[in-house]
């Protein structure tokens, strides 16, 4: 039988986070330096869940030492590593190398400084509710589902738990506080799942600021349907 969610997380949960950080990124770690993907994982995890680094190191090393045998594979009781572009014969050494880098980071205090996200995984890990908002309400189907961008924003506001709306406002303000170039905000919204252009005449950054203001305003400032009456 397949692993239960609890057993999966207990044995492989943080290993899974590390490996998924390589989505769209090369697994080009060397003994001298971690890859951009692992650096992104280290940066985000150090600043949000530093205790998880020890878990990741343990799970990576344990998997490398004891990969699933034929019985576990036949029963489905194992974690299937996503394809990272490496030959099968190199995977276990690579996992050990990642564990070594994480251990060194912890033992020597090698903490990547705060920075804007650098990978798809890091964008989504740092701004999860914004990814849910942009990917769910501003996919390529948005023009068929809503009259315009404002209608989509209003729908999110009226159908989403207020605590999650507040979390989204916080993430929007955090992103805007990075003071990125407009080209970087365009990259950000694309990485976070937005598949349509911002409404004219707004730039990506300008539309994010407008959206933060709309969603952060008290409900009393909105008329029927959540529309701003000012």
């Amino acid at each position: 039988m397949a692993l239960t969610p609890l057993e999966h997380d207990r044995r492989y949960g943080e290993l899974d986070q590390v490996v998924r950080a390589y989505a769209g990124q090369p697994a080009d770690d060397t003994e001298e330096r971690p890859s951009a993907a692992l650096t992104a994982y280290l940066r985000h995890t150090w600043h949000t869940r530093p205790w998880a680094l020890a878990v990741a190191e343990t799970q990576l090393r344990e998997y490398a030492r004891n990969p699933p045998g034929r019985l576990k594979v036949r029963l489905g009781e194992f974690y299937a590593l996503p394809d990272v572009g490496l030959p099968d014969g190199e995977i276990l050494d690579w996992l050990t190398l990642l564990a070594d880098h994480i251990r060194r980071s912890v033992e020597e205090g090698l903490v990547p400084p705060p920075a804007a996200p650098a990978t798809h995984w890091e964008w989504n890990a740092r701004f999860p509710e914004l990814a849910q908002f942009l990917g769910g309400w501003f996919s390529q189907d948005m023009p068929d589902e809503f009259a315009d961008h404002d209608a989509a924003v209003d729908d999110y506001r009226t159908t989403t738990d207020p605590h999650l709306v507040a979390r989204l406002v916080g993430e929007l303000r955090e992103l805007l506080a990075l003071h990125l170039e407009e080209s970087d905000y365009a990259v950000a919204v694309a990485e976070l799942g937005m598949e349509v252009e911002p409404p004219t005449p707004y730039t990506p950054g300008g539309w994010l600021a407008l959206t933060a203001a709309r969603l952060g305003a008290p409900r009393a400032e909105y008329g029927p349907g959540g529309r701003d009456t000012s």
Side-chain angles (χ1 to χ4, degrees), residues 147-159:
D148 53 25
H149 290 66
D150 287 350
V153 172
D154 290 342
D155 184 78
Y156 171 85
R157 179 182 178 119
T158 57
T159 61

Side-chain angles (χ1 to χ4, degrees), residues 1 3 32 41 55 59-60 67 70 123 125 127 133 216 221 223:
M1 59 181 296
L3 290 170
E32 291 73 29
Y41 169 82
V55 178
Q59 291 183 355
L60 286 162
R70 293 180 181 178
W123 278 111
F127 300 104
F133 170 66
E221 294 185 14

Side-chain angles (χ1 to χ4, degrees), residues 127-206:
F127 300 104
E129 189 59 30
L130 182 52
Q132 178 69 20
F133 170 66
L134 294 178
W137 276 261
F138 293 93
S139 71
Q140 60 185 352
D141 297 326
M142 188 276 283
D144 298 326
E145 297 176 356
F146 302 104
D148 53 25
H149 290 66
D150 287 350
V153 172
D154 290 342
D155 184 78
Y156 171 85
R157 179 182 178 119
T158 57
T159 61
T160 303
D161 187 282
H163 296 85
L164 296 179
V165 176
R167 183 176 300 170
L168 172 61
V169 172
E171 291 183 9
L172 283 166
R173 290 172 175 166
E174 178 182 349
L175 178 55
L176 292 166
L178 297 179
H179 300 297
L180 304 178
E181 298 292 334
E182 276 302 329
S183 59
D184 294 322
Y185 280 120
V187 169
V189 296
E191 293 284 4
L192 291 167
M194 189 172 184
E195 297 178 339
V196 295
E197 295 294 325
T200 304
Y202 294 100
T203 62

Side-chain angles (χ1 to χ4, degrees), residues 15 59-67 91-93 95-96:
L15 179 155
Q59 291 183 355
L60 286 162
R61 206 174 298 282
E62 183 62 24
Y63 193 100
R65 289 171 177 166
N66 299 290
I91 290 293
L92 299 184
D93 288 341
L95 293 176
T96 300

Side-chain angles (χ1 to χ4, degrees), residues 7-139:
E7 186 65 15
H8 172 277
D9 289 350
R10 181 184 295 121
R11 297 168 59 185
Y12 309 117
E14 200 59 30
L15 179 155
D16 184 60
Q17 288 294 308
V18 176
V19 177
R20 291 188 183 281
Y22 284 80
Q25 297 291 318
D28 56 357
D29 307 84
T30 66
E31 291 186 3
E32 291 73 29
R33 63 162 186 82
S35 63
L38 185 58
T39 300
Y41 169 82
L42 288 169
R43 174 170 46 241
H44 180 72
T45 307
W46 262 114
H47 293 284
T48 57
R49 303 178 302 126
W51 53 266
L53 294 168
V55 178
E57 190 267 345
T58 298
Q59 291 183 355
L60 286 162
R61 206 174 298 282
E62 183 62 24
Y63 193 100
R65 289 171 177 166
N66 299 290
R70 293 180 181 178
L71 177 60
K72 287 187 177 296
V73 171
R74 187 169 75 248
L75 296 176
E77 297 177 350
F78 75 107
Y79 170 72
L81 286 167
D83 183 9
V84 294
L86 293 176
D88 290 344
E90 298 179 12
I91 290 293
L92 299 184
D93 288 341
W94 174 69
L95 293 176
T96 300
L97 178 61
L98 300 189
D100 290 343
H101 276 303
I102 293 173
R103 171 172 285 187
R104 187 177 305 120
S105 177
V106 173
E107 291 182 343
E108 300 180 17
L110 302 176
V111 183
T119 68
H120 177 76
W121 176 89
E122 191 177 10
W123 278 111
N124 285 265
R126 183 164 174 180
F127 300 104
E129 189 59 30
L130 182 52
Q132 178 69 20
F133 170 66
L134 294 178
W137 276 261
F138 293 93
S139 71

